[in-house]
Short mmCIF file of all heavy atoms in Angstrom, two decimals:
data_model
loop_
_atom_site.label_atom_id
_atom_site.label_comp_id
_atom_site.label_asym_id
_atom_site.label_seq_id
_atom_site.Cartn_x
_atom_site.Cartn_y
_atom_site.Cartn_z
N SER A 1 -96.08 78.43 208.51
CA SER A 1 -95.79 77.20 207.79
C SER A 1 -94.49 77.33 207.03
O SER A 1 -94.03 78.44 206.73
CB SER A 1 -96.94 76.82 206.84
OG SER A 1 -97.08 77.78 205.81
N ILE A 2 -93.90 76.19 206.67
CA ILE A 2 -92.63 76.16 205.96
C ILE A 2 -92.62 74.98 205.00
O ILE A 2 -93.13 73.90 205.32
CB ILE A 2 -91.45 76.10 206.96
CG1 ILE A 2 -90.10 76.24 206.24
CG2 ILE A 2 -91.50 74.81 207.79
CD1 ILE A 2 -88.94 76.50 207.21
N SER A 3 -92.06 75.17 203.81
CA SER A 3 -92.05 74.14 202.78
C SER A 3 -91.01 73.06 203.08
O SER A 3 -90.20 73.17 204.00
CB SER A 3 -91.77 74.77 201.41
OG SER A 3 -90.51 75.41 201.40
N TRP A 4 -91.02 72.01 202.26
CA TRP A 4 -90.15 70.85 202.45
C TRP A 4 -88.69 71.23 202.65
O TRP A 4 -88.03 70.75 203.58
CB TRP A 4 -90.24 69.91 201.24
CG TRP A 4 -91.55 69.21 201.07
CD1 TRP A 4 -92.64 69.26 201.89
CD2 TRP A 4 -91.89 68.33 200.00
NE1 TRP A 4 -93.64 68.48 201.40
CE2 TRP A 4 -93.20 67.90 200.23
CE3 TRP A 4 -91.21 67.88 198.87
CZ2 TRP A 4 -93.86 67.02 199.37
CZ3 TRP A 4 -91.86 67.01 198.00
CH2 TRP A 4 -93.17 66.58 198.26
N GLY A 5 -88.17 72.06 201.76
CA GLY A 5 -86.77 72.44 201.80
C GLY A 5 -86.48 73.64 202.67
O GLY A 5 -85.31 73.98 202.86
N GLY A 6 -87.51 74.30 203.17
CA GLY A 6 -87.33 75.45 204.04
C GLY A 6 -87.20 76.78 203.32
O GLY A 6 -87.01 77.82 203.97
N SER A 7 -87.31 76.79 201.98
CA SER A 7 -87.12 78.02 201.23
C SER A 7 -88.35 78.92 201.23
O SER A 7 -88.22 80.13 201.03
CB SER A 7 -86.72 77.70 199.79
OG SER A 7 -87.72 76.94 199.14
N ASN A 8 -89.53 78.36 201.44
CA ASN A 8 -90.77 79.13 201.44
C ASN A 8 -91.40 79.12 202.83
O ASN A 8 -91.52 78.07 203.45
CB ASN A 8 -91.75 78.57 200.43
CG ASN A 8 -91.26 78.69 199.00
OD1 ASN A 8 -90.67 79.69 198.62
ND2 ASN A 8 -91.51 77.66 198.20
N THR A 9 -91.80 80.30 203.30
CA THR A 9 -92.47 80.42 204.59
C THR A 9 -93.69 81.32 204.46
O THR A 9 -93.78 82.15 203.55
CB THR A 9 -91.54 80.99 205.66
OG1 THR A 9 -91.08 82.29 205.25
CG2 THR A 9 -90.35 80.08 205.90
N TYR A 10 -94.63 81.14 205.38
CA TYR A 10 -95.84 81.95 205.40
C TYR A 10 -96.29 82.13 206.84
O TYR A 10 -96.24 81.19 207.64
CB TYR A 10 -96.94 81.27 204.58
CG TYR A 10 -98.23 82.04 204.55
CD1 TYR A 10 -98.35 83.21 203.80
CD2 TYR A 10 -99.35 81.62 205.27
CE1 TYR A 10 -99.53 83.93 203.78
CE2 TYR A 10 -100.52 82.33 205.26
CZ TYR A 10 -100.61 83.49 204.50
OH TYR A 10 -101.79 84.21 204.49
N TYR A 11 -96.75 83.36 207.18
CA TYR A 11 -97.15 83.68 208.54
C TYR A 11 -98.51 84.35 208.59
O TYR A 11 -98.88 85.10 207.68
CB TYR A 11 -96.15 84.65 209.18
CG TYR A 11 -94.73 84.15 209.23
CD1 TYR A 11 -93.85 84.36 208.18
CD2 TYR A 11 -94.26 83.46 210.35
CE1 TYR A 11 -92.55 83.90 208.23
CE2 TYR A 11 -92.96 83.00 210.40
CZ TYR A 11 -92.11 83.23 209.34
OH TYR A 11 -90.81 82.77 209.40
N VAL A 12 -99.23 84.12 209.67
CA VAL A 12 -100.43 84.89 209.92
C VAL A 12 -100.01 86.33 210.23
O VAL A 12 -98.93 86.58 210.78
CB VAL A 12 -101.23 84.28 211.09
CG1 VAL A 12 -100.50 84.42 212.41
CG2 VAL A 12 -102.63 84.88 211.17
N ASP A 13 -100.84 87.30 209.83
CA ASP A 13 -100.47 88.70 209.94
C ASP A 13 -100.10 89.11 211.37
O ASP A 13 -99.21 89.95 211.57
CB ASP A 13 -101.60 89.59 209.43
CG ASP A 13 -101.73 89.57 207.92
OD1 ASP A 13 -100.79 89.12 207.24
OD2 ASP A 13 -102.78 90.01 207.42
N SER A 14 -100.74 88.54 212.36
CA SER A 14 -100.54 88.95 213.74
C SER A 14 -99.14 88.63 214.28
O SER A 14 -98.73 89.22 215.28
CB SER A 14 -101.60 88.32 214.64
OG SER A 14 -101.53 86.91 214.61
N VAL A 15 -98.41 87.72 213.64
CA VAL A 15 -97.07 87.37 214.11
C VAL A 15 -95.98 87.75 213.12
O VAL A 15 -94.79 87.61 213.44
CB VAL A 15 -96.96 85.86 214.44
CG1 VAL A 15 -98.08 85.42 215.36
CG2 VAL A 15 -96.95 85.02 213.16
N LYS A 16 -96.35 88.24 211.96
CA LYS A 16 -95.38 88.58 210.93
C LYS A 16 -94.41 89.65 211.45
O LYS A 16 -94.82 90.67 211.99
CB LYS A 16 -96.10 89.07 209.68
CG LYS A 16 -95.24 89.15 208.44
CD LYS A 16 -96.08 89.44 207.20
CE LYS A 16 -97.08 88.32 206.94
NZ LYS A 16 -97.88 88.56 205.71
N GLY A 17 -93.12 89.39 211.28
CA GLY A 17 -92.10 90.30 211.76
C GLY A 17 -91.64 90.02 213.17
O GLY A 17 -90.62 90.56 213.60
N ARG A 18 -92.38 89.18 213.91
CA ARG A 18 -92.02 88.84 215.28
C ARG A 18 -91.60 87.37 215.42
O ARG A 18 -90.73 87.05 216.22
CB ARG A 18 -93.18 89.11 216.23
CG ARG A 18 -93.62 90.56 216.27
CD ARG A 18 -94.63 90.80 217.39
NE ARG A 18 -95.85 90.02 217.20
CZ ARG A 18 -96.31 89.11 218.06
NH1 ARG A 18 -95.64 88.86 219.18
NH2 ARG A 18 -97.43 88.46 217.81
N PHE A 19 -92.25 86.49 214.65
CA PHE A 19 -91.97 85.06 214.72
C PHE A 19 -91.21 84.61 213.48
O PHE A 19 -91.40 85.15 212.38
CB PHE A 19 -93.27 84.25 214.80
CG PHE A 19 -94.03 84.38 216.09
CD1 PHE A 19 -93.71 85.32 217.04
CD2 PHE A 19 -95.10 83.52 216.34
CE1 PHE A 19 -94.42 85.43 218.23
CE2 PHE A 19 -95.82 83.62 217.51
CZ PHE A 19 -95.48 84.57 218.45
N THR A 20 -90.36 83.60 213.64
CA THR A 20 -89.63 83.02 212.52
C THR A 20 -89.71 81.50 212.58
O THR A 20 -89.31 80.89 213.57
CB THR A 20 -88.15 83.44 212.54
OG1 THR A 20 -88.04 84.87 212.52
CG2 THR A 20 -87.43 82.88 211.32
N ILE A 21 -90.24 80.90 211.52
CA ILE A 21 -90.29 79.45 211.43
C ILE A 21 -89.08 78.96 210.65
O ILE A 21 -88.68 79.58 209.66
CB ILE A 21 -91.61 78.97 210.78
CG1 ILE A 21 -91.74 77.45 210.86
CG2 ILE A 21 -91.73 79.47 209.35
CD1 ILE A 21 -93.11 76.93 210.43
N SER A 22 -88.48 77.86 211.09
CA SER A 22 -87.33 77.29 210.40
C SER A 22 -87.30 75.78 210.63
O SER A 22 -88.04 75.26 211.47
CB SER A 22 -86.02 77.94 210.88
OG SER A 22 -85.81 77.69 212.25
N ARG A 23 -86.45 75.09 209.88
CA ARG A 23 -86.34 73.65 210.06
C ARG A 23 -84.91 73.20 209.80
O ARG A 23 -84.17 73.81 209.01
CB ARG A 23 -87.31 72.91 209.13
CG ARG A 23 -87.03 73.09 207.64
CD ARG A 23 -88.19 72.59 206.79
NE ARG A 23 -88.45 71.17 206.97
CZ ARG A 23 -89.56 70.56 206.59
NH1 ARG A 23 -90.54 71.25 206.04
NH2 ARG A 23 -89.69 69.24 206.79
N ASP A 24 -84.52 72.14 210.46
CA ASP A 24 -83.23 71.51 210.26
C ASP A 24 -83.51 70.06 209.91
O ASP A 24 -83.74 69.23 210.79
CB ASP A 24 -82.36 71.61 211.52
CG ASP A 24 -80.95 71.11 211.30
OD1 ASP A 24 -80.72 70.32 210.37
OD2 ASP A 24 -80.06 71.52 212.06
#
């Protein structure tokens, strides 16, 4: 998940370090 402005992100442990969420 990612916050409105994109400054905060959160990942499930199984993908942490491998996946990156971002928004434009």
Side-chain angles (χ1 to χ4, degrees):
S1 65
I2 187 167
S3 60
W4 292 357
S7 60
N8 296 320
T9 59
Y10 180 73
Y11 302 89
V12 67
D13 287 344
S14 61
V15 309
K16 194 172 297 182
R18 299 189 298 120
F19 290 10
T20 303
I21 188 171
S22 62
R23 65 193 298 164
D24 187 337

